[in-house]
Amino acid sequence: MAAHDRPEAAFELVDDADLGLKIPQLKKPFEAFTPAEKDALALELEKLSGLIPDRIRALEARYLALFREAEAAGEADDAAFFEALERAGAVARKIAELNTLYYAIQGEFLTTYVG
């Protein structure tokens, strides 16, 4: 079977270091996918959606640690307070991006936070 006949040739998994996951990148318009290519992509998306909840939980733990770090800095050290909040904001954006990705795959948002 030639490479162009394999369903995987329609897309590739690209490492997204920021999210810590491999994300499918289409090599042609989805409308041009064969049924086998659509099935292969669906399988990869299911695998990906299965990884997202654990990744979000890990990021939520990091967010809480940064938030607590900001609280501890309090008014005593404005620079440390705002730096910790800035890092927490970056983590929150990753959580939102992962939840949006999960929604795009599964049609629903995740609610993983446990206080």
Side-chain angles (χ1 to χ4, degrees), residues 39-71:
D39 288 346
L41 179 60
L43 177 61
E44 290 303 325
L45 289 172
E46 279 299 314
K47 290 178 188 176
L48 175 61
S49 70
L51 299 173
I52 291 173
D54 287 339
R55 183 70 181 122
I56 288 177
R57 279 191 222 41
L59 288 169
E60 285 174 339
R62 178 73 180 132
Y63 175 85
L64 287 173
L66 289 167
F67 187 78
R68 288 184 182 118
E69 184 181 317
E71 281 184 324

Side-chain angles (χ1 to χ4, degrees), residues 12-25 44-59 93-103 105 110:
E12 65 179 319
L13 297 176
V14 178
D15 187 34
D16 186 321
D18 198 39
L19 296 180
L21 298 168
K22 289 186 180 276
I23 309 294
Q25 181 177 11
E44 290 303 325
L45 289 172
E46 279 299 314
K47 290 178 188 176
L48 175 61
S49 70
L51 299 173
I52 291 173
D54 287 339
R55 183 70 181 122
I56 288 177
R57 279 191 222 41
L59 288 169
R93 284 188 292 279
K94 289 178 189 179
I95 292 169
E97 190 172 342
L98 285 166
N99 209 348
T100 301
L101 179 59
Y102 187 87
Y103 180 83
I105 297 169
L110 288 169

